[in-house]
Amino acid sequence: MTETSPLKEQWIGRSGLSKIIINTGQHILIEGYDEDNPYVAKVTRLYGDGESYSHKLGAVVQWFMRVSELPVNKLKLLGREPHPQEIFYYECRNCDNEVNVESILRPVKVKHLDSNDPFPDSSDKDTLYVKLSWDSKVFGVVNSTVMESPAEPAPASSPPSCLKPSLPISPSCSQSAATPRGPSRRVLPTPDHAIMQKASLGEVDHHFLTVSLLFLQISPGTPKTPRHATPSIPIRSLQTQQPANILEEARARLHVSSVPESLPCREQEFQDIYSFVESKIIDNTGGCMYISGVPGTGKTATVHEVIRCLQHAADMDEIPSFHFIEINGMKMTDPHQAYVQILQKLTGQKATPDHAAVLLEKRFSNLAPRKETIVMLVDELDLLWTRKQNVMYNLFDWPTRRHARLVVLTIANTMDLPERIMINRVASRLGLTRMSFQPYSFKQLQEIIMSRLNKLKAFEEDALQLVSRKVAALSGDARRCLDICRRATEICEHSAADPSSTGLVGMSHVMEALNEMFSSAYITAIRCASTQEQLFLRAAIAEFRRLGLEEATFQQVFVQHQALCRIEGLRPIGVSEGLAVCQRLGACRLLLLEPSHLGVLQHIRLNVSQDDIFYALKAD
């Protein structure tokens, strides 16, 4: 850092300019992604080379946090409603504290209050108040020595006619006083005439920094919607009942939503993901990882376990704190809603998709006081595909920004999705950090069930081995295996009146559950379908896998269908016959179809799992 020296030239903006004086110890507002709530900081040191404004000129600052910048889930630690003009002294060990002079908006008045002092009347909109500090984990009491002797803005008392002729004319004091403070204009203080006269003669002390600022026109704010009408869930009057027997306990532990004590059979994948995210958090950098695998192979569960362990390490001060958010493409009606959800989970702010994209672009591109690393999980990535692929591009491009500190973990079912559907500029942003989850083997499925039961004797050993082998031979889907085991416990419980029953889930119960699971009305419909209809279903799956998506047009599927006919030695059918086959499958609800008037351009989706189709066709 170099010692501060006075500026000899003024910064020329795009419209009318006004000059102000920034002094060490003064509190200032700094431009952020939200124009209505700029960042607040205290100048601790000024630096510059004194030759020209185009050279490096800036300030070292101590950051303060507004209520809107705090994590929403941490506000409950405050124990009270925050004051509208309350800010918090930010104690951060690894945040950037250097700002460019071009980002400084104006000085601001900040007052320190003791913890027992009441907040003054909120009618004074120009003053901010500090009571507590925030260190990314807990609130604390601010030491009074930290807040001593802040320099206040220079009085705006000099008329514009007394300013140096070469400087732009600023509004007079009377005009500033008469202009009401509202959202339509940010009123800047007029500099003191004596100081400006010294500045023109080169007599300003070296600890002063002259900053040229641009008048900003701000559109009137939109009135906020009242939040008092939000419905609430009534408190449970009775406690949930405890399991009455071993089978009920086993059924609860085998539910897919139950959080297991450990995550077996994914130790290596867990370690690789943990090391990747941990290194990014420690190094304060960003990055992307693409995680792929067929459904039910533990991708999302492994990532959640990684985040849980990392949060525990952050609580123990072993790594810096971070902020975790998660979005799921399956829960969005449109891919651009991803911007809305990300912004809301980061700031609690609601916006349209276009506006949210702009705010996120500013947030990840500009310097900000809160420099916690953000870890974002994007599940069902393939559902965020658009023709221009701008959503995917932004998700992968933001982590490359210098000030972003964003780690993106993406999950999809297709291993080669980047090569199949992503254009080159998107795939290049994703990088080469990839991980593939292989389907579970029957031994791994058996180990998963036994770890969930945790020595609870509810199944016969042969019954567990049977269900594990059946599911592993079909898909290796752990969720399907758990569902079959849960259904087997229900069958066993209903047959408990049988004198020959041992009270444990046996082979007969598992076989009955398997028959139910794989003998649904959909399975029966597929088995009873004609050869051309079965080939059309196989063609749809082949096209979905080729595209890496869950839908395709009839024309695309029909090309696959003709190829399968030739492979099977059958005569290829015409387009009209193919449309009739497609309509029959839609009438059986095996396919979901768009309106038929679209013809060969209508989109097709499966209304049954691919595993069920494979099982039904394999049985034939």
Side-chain angles (χ1 to χ4, degrees):
M1 300 296 178
T2 58
E3 185 178 1
T4 307
S5 41
L7 296 181
K8 299 294 181 59
E9 299 181 9
Q10 49 181 297
W11 173 48
I12 305 300
R14 290 171 295 178
S15 60
L17 302 175
S18 176
K19 290 229 172 188
I20 63 172
I21 304 299
I22 299 297
N23 187 14
T24 303
Q26 204 166 16
H27 294 86
I28 57 175
L29 297 180
I30 299 175
E31 182 181 9
Y33 70 94
D34 185 357
E35 294 182 354
D36 295 329
N37 294 293
Y39 298 129
V40 184
K42 177 181 178 180
V43 179
T44 60
R45 187 159 57 121
L46 302 169
Y47 63 89
D49 55 15
E51 295 178 3
S52 170
Y53 192 83
S54 62
H55 290 69
K56 289 185 177 180
L57 297 168
V60 179
V61 299
Q62 165 60 50
W63 294 106
F64 292 81
M65 301 286 286
R66 292 182 181 268
V67 175
S68 59
E69 298 174 48
L70 296 175
V72 179
N73 59 338
K74 298 292 185 180
L75 288 178
K76 60 183 180 181
L77 300 177
L78 192 58
R80 57 174 173 82
E81 285 294 324
H83 191 270
Q85 290 155 248
E86 184 177 7
I87 58 176
F88 303 89
Y89 185 87
Y90 189 37
E91 297 178 350
C92 181
R93 295 172 294 179
N94 57 349
C95 61
D96 296 334
N97 59 353
E98 296 183 8
V99 298
N100 194 303
V101 294
E102 295 182 10
S103 63
I104 298 176
L105 297 176
R106 62 182 176 87
V108 66
K109 184 184 296 184
V110 175
K111 288 187 177 181
H112 173 248
L113 301 176
D114 292 334
S115 57
N116 296 327
D117 293 344
F119 285 101
D121 186 8
S122 59
S123 59
D124 184 6
K125 301 295 184 181
D126 295 333
T127 304
L128 302 175
Y129 304 98
V130 180
K131 274 191 176 184
L132 302 173
S133 64
W134 171 251
D135 64 354
S136 301
K137 294 182 180 179
V138 295
F139 294 98
V141 179
V142 179
N143 190 344
S144 59
T145 58
V146 176
M147 302 297 300
E148 281 182 354
S149 64
E152 301 300 341
S157 58
S158 58
S161 58
C162 300
L163 292 177
K164 185 178 178 179
S166 61
L167 294 177
I169 298 178
S170 301
S172 65
C173 180
S174 60
Q175 288 175 329
S176 299
T179 303
R181 287 194 57 83
S184 61
R185 175 178 291 272
R186 179 180 285 122
V187 181
L188 302 180
T190 306
D192 182 76
H193 171 62
I195 295 177
M196 294 305 300
Q197 196 170 23
K198 289 183 179 181
S200 64
L201 299 175
E203 300 176 359
V204 182
D205 293 338
H206 282 193
H207 65 276
F208 281 101
L209 180 63
T210 306
V211 183
S212 299
L213 293 176
L214 183 65
F215 276 121
L216 299 177
Q217 296 288 342
I218 303 177
S219 58
T222 304
K224 296 183 177 180
T225 305
R227 306 297 180 191
H228 304 295
T230 303
S232 60
I233 299 176
I235 300 175
R236 186 190 299 273
S237 57
L238 298 177
Q239 294 184 354
T240 55
Q241 295 181 356
Q242 296 298 321
N245 52 51
I246 293 178
L247 293 176
E248 282 192 13
E249 177 70 19
R251 196 154 52 246
R253 294 185 184 185
L254 292 173
H255 199 282
V256 292
S257 64
S258 175
V259 180
E261 297 180 1
S262 63
L263 196 64
C265 307
R266 290 300 184 211
E267 291 80 7
Q268 185 59 48
E269 291 84 352
F270 172 89
Q271 189 59 47
D272 292 344
I273 299 175
Y274 186 97
S275 300
F276 174 80
V277 180
E278 181 189 40
S279 64
K280 299 300 181 183
I281 294 175
I282 293 176
D283 297 339
N284 295 323
T285 57
C288 294
M289 173 179 276
Y290 178 72
I291 303 170
S292 62
V294 297
T297 51
K299 303 182 296 296
T300 306
T302 302
V303 173
H304 284 163
E305 182 66 13
V306 167
I307 297 301
R308 189 187 67 81
C309 294
L310 286 171
Q311 287 175 337
H312 177 72
D315 293 338
M316 301 298 293
D317 288 331
E318 296 175 2
I319 62 173
S321 59
F322 65 96
H323 188 193
F324 173 69
I325 62 174
E326 178 181 1
I327 61 173
N328 192 317
M330 188 72 73
K331 300 178 181 179
M332 301 177 194
T333 57
D334 181 79
H336 294 88
Q337 288 293 323
Y339 299 134
V340 179
Q341 291 196 15
I342 294 172
L343 181 67
Q344 187 171 4
K345 292 183 179 183
L346 285 177
T347 66
Q349 182 179 356
K350 293 184 179 180
T352 62
D354 292 340
H355 188 207
V358 173
L359 294 179
L360 290 173
E361 179 72 19
K362 289 183 180 180
R363 183 183 183 90
F364 294 129
S365 302
N366 300 334
L367 174 68
R370 182 179 63 194
K371 299 313 294 182
E372 287 184 349
T373 299
I374 299 171
V375 180
M376 179 165 60
L377 172 61
V378 183
D379 209 347
E380 305 291 350
L381 174 69
D382 50 325
L383 297 180
L384 298 182
W385 182 87
T386 58
R387 189 172 63 85
K388 294 184 178 180
Q389 302 188 17
N390 53 343
V391 176
M392 285 185 175
Y393 179 81
N394 286 331
L395 290 177
F396 300 150
D397 183 56
W398 286 334
T400 64
R401 308 293 174 83
R402 177 184 176 187
H403 300 296
R405 293 191 182 178
L406 175 65
V407 182
V408 177
L409 303 175
T410 60
I411 296 178
N413 296 333
T414 309
M415 183 175 66
D416 55 348
L417 181 72
E419 288 75 22
R420 287 188 178 184
I421 69 171
M422 293 183 185
I423 57 180
N424 291 335
R425 74 184 186 106
V426 178
S428 64
R429 288 295 188 272
L430 177 60
L432 301 176
T433 307
R434 303 185 186 182
M435 176 171 295
S436 178
F437 280 61
Q438 299 301 320
Y440 288 113
S441 65
F442 86 92
K443 289 185 177 179
Q444 290 176 326
L445 290 173
Q446 192 171 351
E447 184 179 349
I448 290 172
I449 297 173
M450 293 178 65
S451 68
R452 287 209 171 217
L453 292 175
N454 194 17
K455 299 180 181 180
L456 185 68
K457 187 63 175 176
F459 284 77
E460 294 178 0
E461 187 174 347
D462 292 341
L464 282 182
Q465 191 170 146
L466 174 63
V467 68
S468 301
R469 287 183 179 274
K470 282 283 189 180
V471 175
L474 184 63
S475 63
D477 188 338
R479 290 176 294 193
R480 176 66 65 92
C481 190
L482 293 174
D483 289 340
I484 294 173
C485 289
R486 293 183 70 250
R487 177 54 186 156
T489 60
E490 294 175 350
I491 296 173
C492 178
E493 193 171 12
H494 293 157
S495 63
D498 187 353
S500 62
S501 175
T502 61
L504 300 179
V505 179
M507 297 279 286
S508 61
H509 306 126
V510 170
M511 285 301 300
E512 188 175 346
L514 284 168
N515 291 332
E516 285 185 6
M517 192 69 66
F518 295 112
S519 298
S520 64
Y522 288 120
I523 301 292
T524 304
I526 295 171
R527 287 175 176 171
C528 296
S530 67
T531 303
Q532 292 293 345
E533 290 168 352
Q534 291 179 353
L535 282 178
F536 196 88
L537 291 175
R538 287 172 55 189
I541 294 176
E543 184 62 20
F544 293 164
R545 291 188 172 183
R546 186 187 73 83
L547 295 175
L549 303 174
E550 295 297 326
E551 70 176 22
T553 63
F554 169 83
Q555 187 176 20
Q556 293 170 318
V557 176
F558 185 68
V559 173
Q560 292 281 355
H561 180 268
Q562 289 186 315
L564 283 176
C565 287
R566 295 187 181 96
I567 292 173
E568 297 292 338
L570 300 174
R571 180 185 64 84
I573 61 177
V575 175
S576 59
E577 294 177 273
L579 285 171
V581 168
C582 183
Q583 292 298 326
R584 287 198 297 270
L585 292 173
C588 296
R589 304 303 293 171
L590 294 175
L591 293 179
L592 298 177
L593 309 176
E594 280 189 319
S596 58
H597 66 81
L598 296 175
V600 296
L601 298 180
Q602 63 179 325
H603 282 76
I604 298 172
R605 297 194 66 161
L606 289 176
N607 195 34
V608 63
S609 71
Q610 296 184 15
D611 290 345
D612 289 343
I613 295 176
F614 287 139
Y615 181 82
L617 297 179
K618 182 183 291 187
D620 291 341

